[in-house]
Amino acid sequence: MLPLTSTARPAVRALRASKIREVANAGIGHEDIAAFWFGEPDEVTPDFIRQAAVDALNAGDTFYTHNLGIPELRQAVAGYLTRLHRVTEAEEVAITNSGMSALMLSAQALIGHGDRVVAVTPLWPNLVEIPKILGAVVDTVALRFTPQGWSLDLDCLLRALTPDTRAVLINSPNNPTGWTIDHDSQRAILEHCRRHGIWIVADDAYERLYYNGVANGVPTVAPSFLDFATREDRVVSTNTFSKSWLMTGFRLGWIVAPKALATDLPKLIEYNTSCAPPFVQRAGVVAIEQGEPVIARTTARLRKARDYLIEQLNATPGVQVAAPAGAMYAFFRLDGVDDSLALCKRLVADAGLGLAPGIAFGPEGEGFVRWCFAASEERLAEGVRRLRGALGAKHR
């Protein structure tokens, strides 16, 4: 009998562990931590959404549903996307157990061992590691940072999208930088991918948390490939209820895919989770039907928090930061920092401040730190006070 040395495949053992979790774990046992390390709103899910889940539970809605989700939610998502982007049919929509599950299912449907995938980075580590679980190779194209903000070298990305590329992964608005792609770049990428048969997987989790446009007093949605891609294009959009509707703990998301691909998704969902819980799906229906005021208020609140934090960080010596166009993060550079993980651990230990290390988002993020500003101004002010105290002590 061979000795048991490891129960996981080499590809799994090679996955990078979450350095955000590593920093958070360093804070275990500390009673006073001003924590901004996780990407999560600091408000509970609105009452009417929670009540919809409670009502469904009380009504006995506790059984399996169709793999693709209850018809009411698929139709609600289709109608929502039709209002925001283009006409979408319920047959193009698959309901998933979270946006994270939507990304994993999309990758399982499209990506196999040995495939080449390109990702625009810095990027939420989960999205970069998913293809690796499946045995794919991930190459990256890095965004560029300037005092005016983060930008994409479009020509560099197009050169990286060679005919042997299976898929390109684009998260916009981006976690951690807040960079948001424009329509002209999206059109150029789509045309290029059409020529070479490359799939576009768009992580649109933050599309409603967009600060650069207002129409009739209502915040506009971030640019999306769904605004002009046809139903036959190799474009998959994934999304989540977590951010816009303050539903992180509900674990509910969706995929929009061409019908030819969507017909195979029930098999993958069956062999992963079977279906999303029905009472959670019922809450999702109510969120879409009644939740626009929640999104408007959340976006306005986060814009105010962003403006406050960016102003305070720009007034802090040794910090370089630009206002993000979307999402809920300030991703800033600290002078002289070349080990962001060690820095964030020191901030926890010495200042009681919890931030996410830039290295967690790939080597392109080293020297930077991510701060989730989905918090009250009072909490942000306390965090700034602790950061300045720590940086002042560092330079003395």
Side-chain angles (χ1 to χ4, degrees):
M1 180 176 176
L2 293 175
L4 180 63
T5 57
S6 175
T7 58
R9 295 181 290 113
V12 174
R13 297 205 310 272
L15 295 174
R16 53 178 169 166
S18 171
K19 291 181 172 56
I20 304 173
R21 291 284 181 183
E22 186 174 340
V23 174
N25 291 342
I28 294 176
H30 291 255
E31 295 183 359
D32 180 26
I33 299 290
F36 305 96
W37 38 41
F38 294 137
E40 183 172 43
D42 68 336
E43 295 183 312
V44 299
T45 306
D47 288 343
F48 70 93
I49 298 175
R50 285 182 283 150
Q51 190 60 50
V54 171
D55 290 345
L57 279 169
N58 288 337
D61 201 353
T62 60
F63 298 94
Y64 292 131
T65 76
H66 191 286
N67 296 129
L68 292 173
I70 61 175
E72 297 92 330
L73 182 54
R74 295 177 70 196
Q75 189 58 57
V77 170
Y80 171 81
L81 295 173
T82 296
R83 294 191 298 274
L84 289 183
H85 302 300
R86 62 152 166 86
V87 175
T88 303
E89 297 180 5
E91 290 77 13
E92 301 170 72
V93 176
I95 303 303
T96 63
N97 296 71
S98 76
M100 178 66 228
S101 179
L103 288 165
M104 176 59 83
L105 289 163
S106 299
Q108 289 174 336
L110 298 174
I111 299 168
H113 182 80
D115 282 342
R116 179 176 183 268
V117 175
V118 174
V120 176
T121 55
L123 184 58
W124 183 49
N126 299 40
L127 190 48
V128 177
E129 298 301 295
I130 285 172
K132 298 177 185 177
I133 295 174
L134 303 172
V137 175
V138 180
D139 292 329
T140 62
V141 174
L143 299 169
R144 295 178 176 177
F145 174 74
T146 69
Q148 289 71 46
W150 292 83
S151 63
L152 171 68
D153 185 331
L154 180 60
D155 290 337
C156 182
L157 176 60
L158 296 181
R159 286 194 300 270
L161 296 177
T162 52
D164 64 335
T165 304
R166 178 61 175 169
V168 57
L169 310 179
I170 299 176
N171 168 226
S172 170
N174 171 264
N175 174 9
T177 67
W179 163 79
T180 302
I181 195 169
D182 58 75
H183 272 144
D184 288 342
S185 296
Q186 287 177 323
R187 291 183 188 276
I189 293 167
L190 179 59
E191 289 297 328
H192 183 90
C193 290
R194 282 171 174 164
R195 287 194 295 271
H196 296 297
I198 300 170
W199 283 91
I200 297 171
V201 179
D203 177 4
D204 294 329
Y206 298 96
E207 69 170 355
R208 300 302 302 275
L209 304 184
Y210 180 60
Y211 313 115
N212 282 10
V214 175
N216 299 320
V218 179
T220 56
V221 65
S224 170
F225 284 99
L226 293 180
D227 293 331
F228 44 82
T230 70
R231 293 176 182 170
E232 290 73 38
D233 276 319
R234 290 179 172 87
V235 174
V236 174
S237 168
T238 68
N239 216 315
T240 175
F241 285 80
S242 292
K243 315 298 182 180
S244 299
W245 290 279
L246 311 176
M247 294 172 64
T248 51
F250 280 69
R251 314 313 298 140
L252 189 64
W254 73 77
I255 300 170
V256 178
K259 289 183 182 179
L261 177 63
T263 55
D264 282 319
L265 289 176
K267 292 179 286 187
L268 286 173
I269 295 173
E270 173 65 27
Y271 300 138
N272 277 272
T273 60
S274 296
C275 63
F279 50 90
V280 172
Q281 294 190 57
R282 296 292 175 188
V285 173
V286 172
I288 289 179
E289 292 179 345
Q290 303 177 29
E292 283 300 309
V294 173
I295 296 174
R297 184 183 65 81
T298 299
T299 304
R301 178 176 181 255
L302 292 181
R303 180 189 287 109
K304 182 179 179 182
R306 176 201 67 165
D307 293 347
Y308 173 80
L309 181 59
I310 295 301
E311 179 183 24
Q312 294 300 312
L313 290 176
N314 272 322
T316 303
V319 173
Q320 299 176 53
V321 66
M328 56 175 67
Y329 312 105
F331 199 57
F332 57 96
R333 184 158 59 194
L334 288 163
D335 292 347
V337 172
D338 56 11
D339 188 341
S340 57
L341 178 61
L343 170 69
C344 287
K345 287 183 176 180
R346 286 200 303 273
L347 289 174
V348 170
D350 299 341
L353 178 62
L355 303 176
I359 191 62
F361 307 95
E364 304 88 349
E366 187 54 282
F368 289 80
V369 174
R370 191 193 73 175
W371 186 319
C372 178
F373 54 72
S376 67
E377 187 170 307
E378 291 75 19
R379 285 193 65 236
L380 294 174
E382 176 59 20
V384 170
R385 185 189 69 78
R386 296 185 186 200
L387 177 66
R388 288 174 176 170
L391 294 180
K394 177 177 179 290
H395 291 294
R396 279 200 294 270

